[in-house]
Amino acid sequence: MSAARQPLPHESAHLHVAGEATYIDDIPESRGTLHCAIGMSTEAHALIQTLDLDAVRAAPGVVLVITAEDIPGVNDCGPILHDDPILADGEVHYVGQPVFAVIAESREQARAAARLGKISYKPLPALLTPRQAHAAGAYVIDPMSLTRGEPDKALSAAPHSLSGQFDVGGQEQFYLEGQICYIIPKEDDGFHVYSSTQHPTEMQHVVCHALNLSQHQVTVEMRRMGGGFGGKESQSAIFCGIAAVAAAKTGRPVKLRPDRDDDMLITGKRHGFAYDYEVGFDDEGRILAAKIDMIANAGFSADLSGPVATRAICHFDNAYYLENVAINAYCARTNTQSNTAFRGFGGPQGALAIELIIEDIARTLGKDPVDVRAVNYYGKQDRNVTPYGQVVKDNLLHELLPELLDSSDYSARRKAIADFNAGNSVLKKGLAVTPVKFGISFNVKHFNQAGALVHVYTDGSVLVNHGGAEMGQGLNTKVAQVVAHELGISLSRVRASAADTSKVANTSATAASTGSDLNGKAAEDAARQIRVRLAELAAELYDCKAADVVFADDKVTAGSTQIPFSELVATAYTHRVQLWSDGFYKTPGLSWDKDTLTGNPFYYFAYGAAVSEVVLDTLTGEWKLLRADLLHDAGNSINPAIDIGQIEGGYIQGMGWLTTEELCWNDKGLLTTHAPSTYKIPASNDCPPVFNTSLFKGENPADTVLKSKAVGEPPLLLGFSVYFALRDAVANARADNSHALYVAPASCEAMLNAIAK
Amino acid sequence: MPTTTDISFLLNDEPQQVSQLAPTLTLLRYLREHLDLTGTKEGCAEGDCGACTVVVGEKDGDRLALKTLNACIAYLPTLHGKAVYTVEYLRRNGGAHPVQQAMVDCHASQCGFCTPGFVMSLWHHYETRIDQGGTDRAELANALAGNLCRCTGYRPILDAGEQMFKLPPVRFDFAPARKRLDSLPGGSLHYEAGAGRFYAPDSLDELLQLRRQMPDSTLLAGGTDIGLRTTKQFRDTGPLIYTLNVPELHELTVDDDVLRIGAAVSLTDAYKAVCKDYPQLAELRDRFASPPIRNAGTLGGNLANGSPIGDSAPWLIALGAQVVLSNADGDRTIALEDLYTGYMQQSRKDDEILRSVIIPRPVPGLQFHCWKVSKRYDSDISAVCGAFALQLEDGKINKARVAFGGMAATCARAGGCEAALNGKPWNKTTLAAAMTALDSDFSPLSDMRASAAYRQTLARNLLQRFYLLSGSDINPAGEQSLRAFTLPENTL
Ligand code: FES
Ligand code: FES
């Protein structure tokens, strides 16, 4: 039996449950390790007038204090533009921005000392919301726009039209393991960096730039993260940069693990978006024209906002054909944390807007939103070109939706809910179905490459190393399954090792859901080369054709001979056959013109849909998710258990974004929800009592690894259905039954306001 | 009793003796930094995520009572005389414990960082429920309310919680550990290390003397709030006087007309007793912080802390509870609402401690309820907590007591509202007048939990909910038809 396609446990599950899985803070500290803490800005926008750090230097245990001047190389950790200082240099741009760092004998000493800095500021005007910044014309990059067809003309000709404003908040990643970097100086000006990061290569670059080093001097190693969700793609850099300067200056190992509150105050989050839209449609609800301005809250610097906005543009269509469409995207420069990647990377923010529009069209026409969606889905033969010019060839929604509506008993429940609402004045129920179509690949073509190394040892055990970062998504498990499948051996023979820039070089971030697509293919390529060599040897030894040699069940069959895999390997060694190989993969067929925002940015699309039912208390705005039905397309799944875990986890995380997770900044620009005491991610009672999740059967028509599909980000959008179910309940509670909720998250307070509006 | 100067406890059945470490060193840091026991994780260092969950065994007669605890805010000296179990303990017999096996089988870990904490909460649940033959989903979800997972969405973890009871059982024998606790040095603990001082008196007399001698000391009960002063704010607490080893403060008595609950009784035990009389408080109990916080925190601490958003004061004030304050000169008893004089200010004298709470038991004709509203169901701080107690006679309100948290600088009674209710029939007209009166009773603040306007609305609407349940001129609704959280499954 092949190791692939099995619902096998996560490769580290037995370690997780025993507390034996090693995270960076669990690595035994080297002798002489120092600890670092960060002194942060208390102003949203100001010039630093004086920086008095004498008390910090004099505090117990303090070894060194560093400021921007102490950085020998470039004071920048911006992943694309160079507008992101590691330590503020003269001017601060948000409350929480790192200004100086203290290095002390213990972490507690460093943290205590970091509070003693005396900084005087000359305040400058601050922009705190995306709409404010948009009104001021303040952007981190130039606005982007994409138009297809003749939206203005179609809008004025449309029988019906709607326009409005909608605002959605950001989202804190809340990885359970906070940011951490541990750097150990090595001989001959080398550095070994442990960073909890989705992008070891980028961390290598940041350390090199900060210290003026060549890349071969710096190794970044990352065995596992306690969650990333995008928050450790670029934002781990600030901690690597600071720790690197500290390690270089002191010549001693330095660990920087910010406290949770500091982590939340310093690092960027999912971009909140503000939208202004106008849409024209016919009697069936078919969208004839759509125009939207999307204003992303970029925060103080560009970070990844450009690509995030691009993905938002490319997902405004979600599952729907928009013949005449105009999309303007603005990355508003506000004096807040620099917002960054978060699972979905702008895709959710793009798609959320069109889903809201569809819901409004349905209420306006008195139709079931399911029917309005159906008339707008991309067609199979026609109406199948996205606004950015890519043809949708693999649309599954025409099959997937009916299957889900049927399995979830949608129609009967719609009716039952209407009855319930008619008989209850305090409680109102809501129901919603939302689909997702999500483009897979990095929009930047050259990021779509990966490398791997596979070593087969003489005892038949196998070690695989690849450029991807394990953050809980099961990447290492899937890659190991692919290698085991390719070599016809059981998974227990294959072990995956830590991502390490000294093994596979020049890696891409583990992001955009591409981890197993890219690294799985690269590992498959490496394993295949070894298998081919082994097959050639077996053919020669046992007198058959190499093509006829079969690798399965830990055995190799060549002609009439069957021998254990390990025996063939041992023989191959004595025959001087190379038993290790590199592997490489680049995604074919991609193109993207960033000036016109057109091309084929995605290798394929992943699909899914969810039905959620809620009940809302109209006296308080409290609510409960009663039932969820998810049907999602993972292609021909490499590991159904892991994929279901991604789907459910993504759904609940998407629900959190749009319900209980509310980021609040006060009028001074201080994030007041900077700890789990005030920032509420879903907890165990938020898991619905009825929770049905299935994989849609089918395989990826694109030539992906084992015909699977990426599954990291797309399911996050399934959480939309909870938001729209609540919005349905709010409308059901209103005297005129109209929609009135135009903000997300749907906090209890926001819903009560919407009912009263 | 003699005085002890070192901290002694059992860790995974091995004796630990600690001296010279700061008394504010947390158990979590001790485990990770001093013993390299890194299975227990830090996710927040404030008691809100559960990554640091351990199980603690305390003497309870001749058995060992197990409870979950957040190691991140537990000062090491508070473990003196107890048995601590960490995730490393579970594999002591070699193989995986059923809890661990079930977690693997159900694919309940992804990144794995939250996992040891969940394993410990589940293991505690396993030990306390296995003799009853298992658990159900709702009970499990409540047991895990203090553990956050960002990856899984909880479904597989809840599955594992059911699955663990179906695997071949593994029972540990806690009798030897219980025995060994008796051989640990007892008596009152006077621990000093560097500038840090920690006193754990073992009698009320000593506690009151110490408090009088050291006006700059901080009284430490469950430490769920004080812990943050050091882990987050780096504040100097002065000498710490730990109240939980004082037997007098653990007294819990049920008289004919009142419950008396000692200040050191844990929130878990206090609510267990109170919910027997007032089952309508069960939801509040389940939503009050999280199991490990309720295990550490005490009813006395929750009241003496004086927070305007504490969840016990509103219903206690509504029920007319009193508190007994003690100093070396004696006791005095005051109404709970008279304890609070302003934002974080109390009428309690510097050398007084809150000794116990006296709670009236239900009487015929009492209509009573209390609800909190917060962003999240589990483990969240109230935006508003409202409590309503009406003494009805022939449909008329003899005595109304209405109290709120989150509406003012202290938990407080709503005087205007009470006046609008007193002596009136409990009908729609009275409700309307009482709702209007509420508007002028309070001028709440806006913050990240709620705006002032929403708080005002909630106060009014909670009263309306109370009316819908108990009004004399209507056919009172069942709570089930009013509460999203209690909607029965058959309406799905
Ligand atoms: S570390 Fe989060 S509760 Fe202790
Ligand atoms: S498995 Fe990652 S937080 Fe729970």
Side-chain angles (χ1 to χ4, degrees):
Chain A
M1 193 172 68
S2 164
R5 314 207 193 291
Q6 306 300 320
L8 297 166
H10 191 285
E11 42 90 18
S12 292
H14 62 295
L15 304 176
H16 295 154
V17 299
E20 289 170 9
T22 305
Y23 302 83
I24 290 170
D25 199 39
D26 303 336
I27 297 170
E29 285 169 11
S30 298
R31 200 176 338 130
T33 292
L34 296 171
H35 296 264
C36 184
I38 294 173
M40 299 177 290
S41 162
T42 51
E43 293 288 318
H45 191 198
L47 295 175
I48 296 176
Q49 287 189 309
T50 55
L51 188 53
D52 173 2
L53 302 176
D54 289 349
V56 184
R57 286 192 187 91
V62 171
V63 173
L64 178 73
V65 177
I66 54 176
T67 63
E69 300 173 350
D70 298 304
I71 300 172
V74 189
N75 179 17
D76 177 65
C77 59
I80 302 173
L81 298 187
H82 302 297
D83 61 350
D84 231 331
I86 296 170
L87 290 170
D89 197 359
E91 187 175 343
V92 292
H93 299 276
Y94 69 101
V95 178
Q97 182 170 2
V99 177
F100 65 91
V102 196
I103 296 89
E105 296 291 343
S106 80
R107 182 168 178 266
E108 306 313 303
Q109 287 171 331
R111 288 179 62 210
R115 310 172 77 84
L116 304 176
K118 294 194 192 73
I119 309 174
S120 70
Y121 297 98
K122 177 167 186 283
L124 298 171
L127 296 166
L128 297 177
T129 70
R131 286 196 191 272
Q132 272 175 12
H134 183 49
Y139 306 115
V140 294
I141 53 165
D142 290 339
M144 292 180 253
S145 104
L146 173 65
T147 300
R148 192 250 304 264
E150 296 183 289
D152 284 312
K153 211 170 128 196
L155 198 56
S156 46
H160 308 276
S161 66
L162 277 174
S163 64
Q165 283 196 341
F166 174 48
D167 292 86
V168 59
Q171 185 180 24
E172 161 65 36
Q173 288 83 3
F174 208 84
Y175 25 67
L176 254 282
E177 176 211 30
Q179 301 273 0
I180 180 168
C181 178
Y182 183 35
I183 303 196
I184 301 173
K186 295 284 177 185
E187 66 176 29
D188 204 10
D189 294 328
F191 290 89
H192 193 90
V193 179
Y194 297 97
S195 166
S196 182
T197 183
Q198 295 168 240
H199 204 344
T201 290
E202 174 90 12
M203 299 310 112
Q204 180 191 24
H205 294 175
V206 166
V207 170
C208 290
H209 291 154
L211 300 182
N212 281 327
L213 302 175
S214 301
Q215 290 170 14
H216 66 204
Q217 291 172 272
V218 175
T219 296
V220 180
E221 181 181 339
M222 207 303 296
R223 171 60 183 93
R224 64 171 63 78
M225 278 166 272
F229 312 111
K232 295 173 179 172
E233 182 174 345
S234 64
Q235 303 270 316
S236 37
I238 210 156
F239 307 101
C240 289
I242 292 171
V245 174
K249 291 248 164 204
T250 58
R252 289 166 66 175
V254 172
K255 187 189 277 187
L256 173 45
R257 177 170 71 83
D259 183 60
R260 173 65 66 178
D261 296 64
D262 295 355
D263 186 326
M264 290 178 76
L265 284 167
I266 292 169
T267 62
K269 297 138 204 342
R270 182 190 295 287
H271 293 65
F273 269 52
Y275 315 82
D276 295 310
Y277 60 87
E278 238 183 309
V279 57
F281 50 97
D282 67 14
D283 293 343
E284 300 301 306
R286 192 172 288 107
I287 297 172
L288 304 173
K291 293 175 66 177
I292 188 160
D293 286 352
M294 305 196 277
I295 307 151
N297 183 358
F300 85 98
S301 71
D303 188 79
L304 300 167
S305 296
V308 164
T310 305
R311 191 166 274 271
I313 292 172
C314 291
H315 285 78
F316 175 60
D317 59 339
N318 193 19
Y320 314 111
Y321 177 63
L322 303 174
E323 190 170 0
N324 300 290
V325 58
I327 308 167
N328 295 311
Y330 304 90
C331 294
R333 181 194 297 278
T334 59
N335 293 104
T336 61
Q337 293 77 2
S338 187
N339 288 322
T340 191
F342 191 149
R343 201 175 196 172
F345 202 75
Q349 292 96 319
L352 186 66
I354 196 74
E355 293 299 336
L356 178 117
I357 288 169
I358 295 251
E359 291 277 326
D360 277 15
I361 292 173
R363 281 263 165 181
T364 307
L365 296 175
K367 289 186 176 297
D368 190 320
V370 162
D371 299 327
V372 174
R373 287 190 167 87
V375 299
N376 283 291
Y377 286 138
Y378 277 109
K380 294 213 158 185
Q381 306 303 330
D382 58 352
R383 292 171 57 85
N384 63 354
V385 183
T386 64
Y388 47 90
Q390 177 159 0
V391 179
V392 180
K393 295 182 190 140
D394 52 9
N395 191 358
L396 296 175
L397 293 174
H398 295 280
E399 295 81 34
L400 193 149
L401 256 294
E403 185 177 326
L404 176 65
L405 294 176
D406 191 47
S407 67
S408 66
D409 206 13
Y410 174 80
S411 307
R413 284 164 63 205
R414 178 59 85 191
K415 168 88 180 54
I417 284 171
D419 292 347
F420 177 92
N421 288 340
N424 284 275
S425 55
V426 172
L427 298 184
K428 294 289 176 187
K429 284 188 173 186
L431 180 70
V433 187
T434 53
V436 50
K437 160 184 137 289
F438 199 87
I440 304 298
S441 297
F442 288 101
N443 277 56
V444 178
K445 182 175 163 183
H446 71 263
F447 290 170
N448 296 287
Q449 59 171 309
L453 286 174
V454 172
H455 297 343
V456 177
Y457 294 98
T458 51
D459 62 354
S461 67
V462 177
L463 190 71
V464 56
N465 184 272
H466 57 88
E470 172 66 40
M471 61 191 108
Q473 81 279 47
L475 172 60
N476 280 354
T477 314
K478 285 186 179 178
V479 169
Q481 283 180 277
V482 168
V483 168
H485 173 82
E486 190 62 33
L487 296 174
I489 56 179
S490 51
L491 189 61
S492 59
R493 287 183 185 270
V494 185
R495 190 178 169 108
S497 61
D500 185 330
T501 57
S502 69
K503 291 186 177 147
V504 175
N506 313 325
T507 55
S508 293
T510 302
S513 307
T514 58
S516 43
D517 279 12
L518 297 176
N519 297 291
K521 269 287 195 193
E524 182 184 61
D525 177 44
R528 187 162 294 166
Q529 293 181 47
I530 298 167
R531 195 190 68 185
V532 166
R533 287 182 208 134
L534 289 172
E536 280 163 1
L537 176 68
E540 191 183 308
L541 293 176
Y542 305 114
D543 202 20
C544 67
K545 284 206 224 106
D548 294 339
V549 178
V550 176
F551 293 76
D553 300 323
D554 292 305
K555 294 184 197 68
V556 180
T557 311
S560 56
T561 312
Q562 189 175 67
I563 57 167
F565 176 77
S566 53
E567 196 181 313
L568 179 61
V569 166
T571 309
Y573 173 70
T574 61
H575 283 73
R576 297 189 294 178
V577 173
Q578 185 186 341
L579 284 172
W580 58 272
S581 176
D582 60 342
F584 184 74
Y585 177 71
K586 55 184 177 185
T587 315
L590 302 178
S591 66
W592 183 245
D593 180 334
K594 66 181 183 356
D595 297 321
T596 60
L597 301 179
T598 55
N600 283 320
F602 305 123
Y603 188 32
Y604 61 91
F605 296 96
Y607 300 87
V611 184
S612 297
E613 178 176 339
V614 299
V615 61
L616 174 69
D617 178 343
T618 60
L619 289 177
T620 57
E622 296 165 289
W623 58 282
K624 186 168 173 63
L625 174 60
L626 297 171
R627 173 171 169 178
D629 294 79
L630 319 182
L631 181 58
H632 195 83
D633 155 41
N636 198 343
S637 171
I638 295 172
N639 185 322
I642 282 176
D643 286 349
I644 283 180
Q646 289 297 297
I647 293 163
E648 292 180 346
Y651 169 82
I652 295 290
Q653 200 171 66
M655 169 182 90
W657 171 40
L658 298 171
T659 57
T660 55
E661 295 183 35
E662 189 171 22
L663 291 167
C664 303
W665 285 268
N666 69 13
D667 56 2
K668 302 275 182 300
L670 169 70
L671 177 73
T672 53
T673 48
H674 53 71
S677 50
T678 45
Y679 185 76
K680 308 313 276 189
I681 70 167
S684 53
N685 270 298
D686 298 315
C687 179
V690 182
F691 200 173
N692 303 313
T693 306
S694 307
L695 297 176
F696 185 72
K697 299 222 174 358
E699 61 175 37
N700 194 345
D703 179 25
T704 51
V705 59
L706 300 176
K707 295 279 183 186
S708 66
K709 283 193 180 184
V711 75
E713 296 169 295
L716 184 120
L717 286 76
L718 299 177
F720 288 9
S721 56
V722 179
Y723 178 75
F724 289 110
L726 286 168
R727 203 165 173 269
D728 187 49
V730 167
N732 294 339
R734 284 166 53 81
D736 66 357
N737 277 352
S738 67
H739 276 311
L741 186 65
Y742 289 93
V743 292
S747 64
C748 303
E749 176 169 356
M751 289 193 284
L752 219 55
N753 288 341
I755 292 172
K757 200 156 73 181
Chain B
M1 276 289 253
T3 300
T4 318
T5 54
D6 290 352
I7 304 164
S8 303
F9 61 101
L10 296 179
L11 174 62
N12 297 334
D13 287 347
E14 297 300 322
Q16 297 282 318
Q17 191 160 355
V18 174
S19 56
Q20 287 169 5
L21 299 176
T24 53
L25 181 73
T26 62
L27 173 61
L28 179 63
R29 287 187 52 210
Y30 178 69
L31 294 172
R32 294 184 56 85
E33 297 170 21
H34 294 263
L35 303 181
D36 278 324
L37 283 177
T38 55
T40 311
K41 308 298 181 193
E42 180 187 304
C44 69
E46 62 167 28
D48 275 305
C49 78
C52 64
T53 307
V54 298
V55 169
V56 171
E58 291 177 345
K59 292 183 200 172
D60 177 17
D62 57 3
R63 50 184 284 278
L64 198 63
L66 300 179
K67 63 185 198 182
T68 50
L69 191 79
N70 293 130
C72 67
I73 48 172
Y75 294 149
L76 203 53
T78 65
L79 280 314
H80 180 64
K82 297 175 186 168
V84 176
Y85 300 99
T86 68
V87 67
E88 285 87 358
Y89 185 74
L90 295 194
R91 285 180 42 161
R92 60 201 303 266
N93 295 341
H97 187 279
V99 175
Q100 296 170 312
Q101 192 57 49
M103 288 285 283
V104 173
D105 292 349
C106 295
H107 305 279
S109 69
Q110 289 184 20
C111 80
F113 200 80
C114 70
T115 311
F118 274 98
V119 164
M120 293 310 280
S121 288
L122 285 173
W123 176 55
H124 174 262
H125 202 61
Y126 182 87
E127 288 290 344
T128 50
R129 294 299 190 285
I130 186 148
D131 291 329
Q132 296 161 216
T135 188
D136 65 31
R137 208 77 175 179
E139 204 180 48
L140 261 173
N142 286 336
L144 298 176
N147 292 88
L148 295 178
C149 175
R150 191 49 151 168
C151 298
T152 62
Y154 303 96
R155 197 270 308 158
I157 302 173
L158 294 166
D159 283 356
E162 292 180 328
Q163 171 76 9
M164 65 187 181
F165 290 104
K166 298 177 187 147
L167 298 173
V170 169
R171 301 300 298 270
F172 295 138
D173 179 9
F174 295 103
R178 173 64 194 85
K179 258 226 174 87
R180 287 177 82 171
L181 288 187
D182 283 337
S183 59
L184 294 181
S188 117
L189 174 70
H190 288 202
Y191 178 78
E192 298 188 18
R197 282 177 293 160
F198 184 101
Y199 302 92
D202 64 347
S203 71
L204 184 61
D205 280 348
E206 191 192 359
L207 168 64
L208 297 175
Q209 288 305 335
L210 285 167
R211 180 65 178 171
R212 182 158 280 184
Q213 287 158 18
M214 293 182 285
D216 63 331
S217 61
T218 299
L219 289 170
L220 178 72
T224 58
D225 195 35
I226 304 234
L228 274 62
R229 290 193 202 166
T230 51
T231 65
K232 296 286 175 180
Q233 297 158 9
F234 288 90
R235 268 160 54 189
D236 184 8
T237 57
L240 289 162
I241 304 178
Y242 185 57
T243 60
L244 298 201
N245 290 358
V246 174
E248 291 93 329
L249 300 184
H250 282 276
E251 288 165 5
L252 198 162
T253 55
V254 185
D255 297 347
D256 281 350
D257 50 350
V258 292
L259 280 170
R260 288 171 204 275
I261 301 184
V265 172
S266 71
L267 288 162
T268 304
D269 293 340
Y271 273 81
K272 197 178 196 175
V274 169
C275 283
K276 282 194 188 130
D277 274 356
Y278 298 104
Q280 56 270 61
L281 290 172
E283 182 191 295
L284 185 76
R285 172 199 63 204
D286 293 341
R287 299 183 62 192
F288 189 125
S290 65
I293 294 291
R294 292 197 296 273
N295 292 334
T298 61
L299 187 62
N302 191 233
L303 299 176
N305 171 287
S307 164
I309 43 179
D311 279 341
S312 298
W315 61 265
L316 283 166
I317 292 175
L319 288 176
Q322 296 174 303
V323 287
V324 178
L325 303 177
S326 303
N327 63 13
D329 302 330
D331 291 354
R332 64 188 177 114
T333 301
I334 61 170
L336 174 57
E337 61 266 37
D338 294 338
L339 180 63
Y340 306 123
T341 54
Y343 179 67
M344 296 309 245
Q345 290 189 333
Q346 297 180 15
S347 58
R348 183 163 55 105
K349 295 185 202 124
D350 279 349
D351 66 349
E352 277 182 325
I353 63 136
L354 196 156
R355 177 179 178 165
S356 62
V357 189
I358 303 172
I359 308 168
R361 304 194 62 199
V363 291
L366 176 72
Q367 288 291 345
F368 165 70
H369 223 310
C370 176
W371 298 283
K372 70 184 280 183
V373 178
S374 57
K375 287 186 185 175
R376 188 175 69 193
Y377 182 86
D378 290 319
S379 188
D380 196 357
I381 291 166
S382 294
V384 171
C385 180
F388 311 91
L390 301 186
Q391 195 59 49
L392 294 178
E393 213 176 302
D394 302 330
K396 254 182 126 173
I397 302 164
N398 261 349
K399 192 175 68 176
R401 292 180 66 95
V402 176
F404 286 94
M407 294 296 290
T410 67
C411 291
R413 287 171 71 177
C417 174
E418 289 180 1
L421 293 165
N422 275 326
K424 305 277 165 33
W426 185 211
N427 63 19
K428 209 172 173 168
T429 317
T430 306
L431 170 70
M435 285 173 77
T436 309
L438 262 180
D439 287 344
S440 26
D441 273 330
F442 300 110
S443 342
L445 291 177
S446 291
D447 65 8
M448 70 300 224
R449 295 198 175 89
S451 71
Y454 178 56
R455 288 191 156 107
Q456 294 275 26
T457 307
L458 285 178
R460 262 184 269 121
N461 289 3
L462 290 178
L463 180 63
Q464 186 182 346
R465 180 192 283 166
F466 182 61
Y467 164 78
L468 293 172
L469 281 173
S470 61
S472 315
D473 60 338
I474 51 166
N475 199 356
E479 176 138 13
Q480 286 185 343
S481 67
L482 291 180
R483 305 283 288 125
F485 303 139
T486 53
L487 198 65
E489 301 239 344
N490 60 19
T491 64
L492 291 183

